[in-house]
Amino acid sequence: SESVRMASLIDDLLLLARLDEGRPLARESVDLGVLGIDAAAGARAVAPDRVVTADVAEGVTVDGDEDRLRQVVGNLVGNALVHTPAGTPVSVRVHNGGALAVVEVHDDGPGMPPDVADRAFERFSRADASRSRDAGGSGLGLAIVRAIVVAHGGEVVLQSAPGAGTTVRVEL
């Protein structure tokens, strides 16, 4: 299990290094609605105690790297599952926002204090520094999300407050 964890960490670091170098991503038409539906279905499979919904508009497509964009949505939904209490609802919404394609992942969890939210996209950032690696990740998930979104010419914004849940909005 330790070698699997290390391999995953190395893969994440290599992806970040490639994105930092500005290596081009694959480009094809990607239906973000399909990615949202798939991420919600995957979350329900691994967390059957959760209500995970997907509200997707038809025809929300972008020119991008499907595997990397799938990783973005998967990381966001995965974070919502890991960082909220059991039973907390999670929603994935995909829609057009003017000239932008928008993916939003929202949870009704406890939210984050402002200092944690401010550094959420930093590499190796963890909401709870006392958590073991067995219970948490490497702290690279949201850094990878931001790097992939930026490589696609987009922006990612996190809105959270204690008691108000968390929403991560990706605009492409």
Side-chain angles (χ1 to χ4, degrees), residues 4 10 20 47 55 64 66 83 89 91 98 109 116 118 122 127 132 152:
V4 169
I10 290 167
D20 286 348
D55 176 16
E66 181 174 348
H83 296 292
S91 64
V116 173
D118 288 347
E122 294 176 8
S132 73
H152 280 85

Side-chain angles (χ1 to χ4, degrees), residues 7 14 21 27 42 44 72 85-86 89 96 155 161 164 167 169 171:
L14 284 171
E21 289 177 352
R27 295 290 179 174
R44 286 190 299 271
V72 164
N96 285 308
E155 183 177 355
T167 301
R169 178 182 172 100
E171 299 176 339

